[in-house]
Amino acid sequence: MPKMMVNIDHVATIREARGTYYPDPVFAAGIAEMAGAAGIIIHLREDRRHIKDRDLKILREVVRTKLNLEMAATIEMVNIARDIKPDMVTLVPEKREELTTEGGLDVVSLSDKLEKIIEKIKGKGIKVSLFIDPKESQIIAAHKVHADMIEIHTGAYSDAKSEKARAGELKKVIRAAVKGKELGLGVNGGHGLHYHNVREIALIPEIDELSIGHAIIARAVFVGLDRAIRDMLALM
Ligand code: PXP
């Protein structure tokens, strides 16, 4: 079974909706760890629309499992990561106008830039993962730029409109996971996973970690965060 990493961005989204100091993502991290999360994920976006620099600093102090910082491949973010030293960084493409991360990184065309950025981050002892679509060319490129891990974008699988389309997308994720392992990369997955689609992905033996956020925080509104996390763990 893959480890469950909980993305707590949307606790901060609720806070920012009213500009209050609650609910605090720092508390969410503690509850998530107590409920069995193997790690905490936050995305420090360039526009700081949910997670703030203050959250990242405090979470670095309090998270005892593993802190995964999702971020754009920019100089500003690289400097923050080198300063704060999360356990790992996941590089993602970022557009201001998007609701959430839309596609995977195009490692093939950005390979020179990414290779330099990855070297800078790894220089501080931080592991680097690249969020990519389940395409062989992107996985090979991720290996060439010396990423430690890949995170396979499961969005197309999650959003598939028919069983047939979903089965096709699942096959792509499986093939990508096998290819990643073959090249010696760590293999994670995530995006759009929820209580009704996680099982097939959790059954892929090559996947080490799953990153799940929105569905867990949404369920927590009704049943509480502890229960929402335990329910997801049980399904996985
Ligand atoms: N992985 C990456 C790279 C993401 O950007 C996100 C969304 O923040 C997730 C996983 C989690 O996606 P979701 O919130 O749909 O579970």
Side-chain angles (χ1 to χ4, degrees):
M1 156 184 161
K3 291 185 175 149
M4 186 177 69
M5 314 292 287
V6 178
N7 180 314
I8 56 171
D9 290 348
H10 295 305
V11 175
T13 302
I14 298 170
R15 177 187 63 189
E16 296 310 313
R18 296 293 292 271
T20 47
Y21 58 85
Y22 61 84
D24 196 323
V26 175
F27 291 4
I31 293 168
E33 287 190 329
M34 285 189 282
I40 302 298
I41 306 178
I42 48 172
H43 185 172
L44 184 68
R45 296 186 73 101
E46 291 180 277
D47 61 9
R48 309 299 198 270
R49 70 166 77 147
H50 40 52
I51 292 293
K52 309 283 185 209
D53 298 71
R54 163 264 182 210
D55 303 324
L56 171 61
K57 279 196 193 112
I58 302 176
L59 285 165
R60 174 60 302 180
E61 294 284 316
V62 303
V63 167
R64 291 290 158 199
T65 49
K66 178 168 166 181
L67 183 65
N68 179 353
L69 174 64
E70 275 179 27
M71 58 180 225
T74 63
I75 300 290
E76 182 204 8
M77 290 297 157
V78 170
N79 288 337
I80 290 172
R82 283 171 57 89
D83 183 34
I84 303 285
K85 300 190 192 72
D87 300 289
M88 65 181 275
V89 155
T90 301
L91 295 175
V92 299
E94 198 176 298
K95 288 193 220 109
R96 272 175 200 259
E97 63 277 14
E98 69 193 357
L99 280 179
T100 179
T101 315
E102 280 167 359
L105 266 181
D106 186 354
V107 189
V108 174
S109 59
L110 295 172
S111 63
D112 288 347
K113 176 185 167 191
L114 286 173
E115 188 167 8
K116 287 188 194 103
I117 283 181
I118 290 168
E119 192 185 352
K120 276 198 159 188
I121 302 170
K122 285 173 74 166
K124 287 283 182 183
I126 305 163
K127 298 244 185 262
V128 181
S129 177
L130 302 180
F131 182 56
I132 55 174
D133 293 328
K135 289 190 183 143
E136 185 166 298
S137 57
Q138 297 294 346
I139 300 161
I140 292 169
H143 178 248
K144 277 200 187 133
V145 298
H146 309 297
D148 298 293
M149 287 161 267
I150 53 170
E151 179 181 333
I152 301 169
H153 193 333
T154 54
Y157 162 81
S158 301
D159 297 339
K161 296 282 178 272
S162 67
E163 278 307 311
K164 192 167 169 240
R166 199 158 87 120
E169 294 300 333
L170 179 63
K171 271 194 196 142
K172 289 186 199 165
V173 175
I174 294 171
R175 274 200 291 269
V178 169
K179 184 71 194 173
K181 276 284 138 142
E182 225 174 77
L183 293 172
L185 292 161
V187 177
N188 303 330
H191 212 284
L193 296 176
H194 55 65
Y195 293 83
H196 301 287
N197 68 12
V198 75
R199 291 190 74 167
E200 289 93 331
I201 298 287
L203 282 168
I204 302 171
E206 287 79 13
I207 295 191
D208 303 313
E209 295 174 357
L210 287 181
S211 159
I212 310 178
H214 188 263
I216 290 176
I217 305 305
R219 193 182 186 93
V221 171
F222 298 117
V223 304
L225 186 55
D226 179 86
R227 164 92 184 269
I229 289 171
R230 289 178 198 274
D231 287 351
M232 184 59 85
L233 263 176
L235 281 170
M236 283 169 64

